[in-house]
Amino acid sequence: MASGSGSSKNDFRRKWDKDEYENLAQKRLAEERDRERRDGKIAPPVKRDLLRHRDYKVDLESKLGKTIVITKTTPQAEMGGYYCNVCDCVVKDSINFLDHINGKKHQRNLGMSMRVERSSLDQVKKRFEVNKKKMEEKQKEYDFEERMKELREEEEKAKAYKKEKQKERKRRAEDDLDFEEDDEMAAVMGFSGFGSSKKSH
């Protein structure tokens, strides 16, 4: 196992025979396999579900533009970034978070494999029918009167905006007139202006 004879007398480190330990490890593994075969305890391969659609909306925008203070005692779920409670990890940006939740490790932790169920012809036809019905319902919901009401509201908003602009122009014009009257009064009194050093001829 360990050879006591060293190349020099000052070398006190133990020398291990690697080949001997490797042979021992191989024997131990072989014995364990034999024992499992005899007892019938060979673990069957893990059967995982097929990949399914996500039944929830991924929240990427709730923390957008917000500032939080992170201390040493802040829990990992509240630290900066996106927290995955399935894998108990924090991902720093949204692109990597999407890559993570669509990745192999996350899907395995959810109990799914990366294999997708093959759809039959009947399932595809049913899906087309459902989508067609949805489109027809949307077209029925489109109401002419409702659209006319929306157009009237838009026109009223545009008119109100124009009126506001006109009022603002009138106010500016009145302010300019008041300023010109002050200039005339200053000229009558004998001085041309308060802030300028130029002389008017």
Side-chain angles (χ1 to χ4, degrees):
M1 288 188 199
S3 60
S5 62
S7 59
S8 69
K9 293 180 179 178
N10 295 335
D11 190 9
F12 296 106
R13 299 178 102 183
R14 296 175 89 184
K15 303 287 189 262
W16 300 97
D17 189 358
K18 291 180 183 177
D19 295 332
E20 185 181 348
Y21 277 101
E22 193 172 335
N23 290 335
L24 285 171
Q26 294 295 336
K27 282 181 190 174
R28 185 174 49 82
L29 285 171
E31 287 173 6
E32 284 179 5
R33 285 189 199 121
D34 290 339
R35 201 178 311 126
E36 284 175 355
R37 282 190 197 122
R38 274 184 269 133
D39 297 343
K41 292 182 179 177
I42 296 174
V46 177
K47 177 72 175 161
R48 297 185 188 278
D49 293 340
L50 295 171
L51 203 59
R52 294 188 306 270
H53 283 286
R54 207 177 284 121
D55 56 355
Y56 61 92
K57 190 176 182 296
V58 179
D59 181 27
L60 297 175
E61 297 169 357
S62 64
K63 293 184 179 180
L64 196 65
K66 292 186 179 175
T67 307
I68 55 170
V69 177
I70 299 172
T71 62
K72 290 180 182 177
T73 58
T74 305
Q76 191 176 12
E78 295 173 13
M79 288 211 170
Y82 297 91
Y83 177 70
C84 175
N85 54 359
V86 176
C87 305
D88 190 34
C89 65
V90 175
V91 185
K92 292 299 177 190
D93 60 359
S94 59
I95 295 170
N96 287 335
F97 182 66
L98 283 174
D99 286 344
H100 168 74
I101 62 175
N102 292 330
K104 199 173 194 177
K105 180 184 172 191
H106 183 81
Q107 299 302 334
R108 274 192 179 168
N109 289 342
L110 285 173
M112 289 188 279
S113 67
M114 296 300 284
R115 294 198 178 109
V116 183
E117 181 185 1
R118 284 187 64 88
S119 298
S120 65
L121 183 63
D122 294 333
Q123 287 175 325
V124 174
K125 284 181 179 177
K126 283 178 185 175
R127 176 62 64 134
F128 274 126
E129 286 174 12
V130 168
N131 288 342
K132 195 173 183 182
K133 284 179 184 175
K134 282 182 183 176
M135 292 295 288
E136 287 171 359
E137 286 174 5
K138 281 183 182 176
Q139 287 176 352
K140 286 177 185 174
E141 287 173 6
Y142 179 79
D143 188 15
F144 181 74
E145 290 296 325
E146 194 174 311
R147 182 69 182 138
M148 289 299 293
K149 188 179 178 184
E150 287 175 7
L151 287 171
R152 282 191 211 111
E153 287 175 2
E154 286 176 12
E155 285 176 6
E156 287 172 7
K157 285 179 184 176
K159 285 179 184 176
Y161 181 73
K162 283 182 183 177
K163 282 183 182 178
E164 190 63 37
K165 282 285 186 185
Q166 285 178 349
K167 285 180 182 177
E168 197 173 320
R169 280 192 208 127
K170 282 183 182 178
R171 278 191 224 120
R172 286 183 185 165
E174 288 173 1
D175 290 344
D176 289 342
L177 283 174
D178 291 343
F179 189 68
E180 287 174 10
E181 288 174 4
D182 289 343
D183 285 346
E184 290 174 10
M185 183 62 74
V188 169
M189 293 178 80
F191 47 87
S192 59
F194 290 106
S196 66
S197 58
K198 295 179 182 176
K199 294 181 180 179
S200 59
H201 295 283

